[in-house]
Amino acid sequence: IAMATTTATTGSRRERESNGSNERAKDALAERLVAAEDRARVAEDRAATAERVLKTADGRVEAAEQRVLAAEGRATEAHARAKDASDRAATAEHRHLEVVRALESVEVELAAA
């Protein structure tokens, strides 16, 4: 009986030690799980922030592209107006020269008359 009691006591001590070791291992795993979940949440938050920043940057790039297109359109219009003005100036200069020649011709005819 004494031997059986000693064996039972030793066995239950080993069980308690084993159970305590298992509990510590479970606790350590639970802590690691919580830490991993926390890191995952932080990573998700960072990803969401990065997506918002990227979306904002995309919007700003698109707005800048629209401004460039508008400026190019205005530049094209200004160039067309400048060419038109240049053409009108060339036409006016040509007409002026025609008038000057006609006046010179009239002066020559008047002088000869």
Side-chain angles (χ1 to χ4, degrees):
I1 295 178
M3 194 157 193
T5 306
T6 305
T7 304
T9 305
T10 305
S12 64
R13 185 183 323 142
R14 284 187 189 144
E15 276 183 36
R16 285 193 307 270
E17 288 173 359
S18 176
N19 286 343
S21 178
N22 286 342
E23 288 301 316
R24 286 190 299 275
K26 285 180 187 177
D27 290 345
L29 286 174
E31 288 176 13
R32 288 175 57 195
L33 176 61
V34 168
E37 288 172 342
D38 288 344
R39 288 193 309 270
R41 273 191 291 280
V42 168
E44 288 170 353
D45 289 347
R46 286 181 180 170
T49 299
E51 287 174 1
R52 284 191 302 274
V53 168
L54 180 59
K55 194 177 285 188
T56 299
D58 283 344
R60 291 173 64 189
V61 166
E62 188 171 322
E65 288 171 344
Q66 293 298 322
R67 289 192 306 270
V68 167
L69 289 174
E72 287 174 345
R74 290 190 308 270
T76 300
E77 290 173 15
H79 182 264
R81 287 193 310 269
K83 185 177 180 335
D84 185 49
S86 176
D87 291 347
R88 287 194 320 264
T91 300
E93 187 177 350
H94 180 70
R95 288 182 184 158
H96 172 73
L97 290 175
E98 287 177 349
V99 169
V100 168
R101 286 190 199 115
L103 284 174
E104 288 173 350
S105 175
V106 169
E107 287 176 352
V108 167
E109 287 180 17
L110 284 175

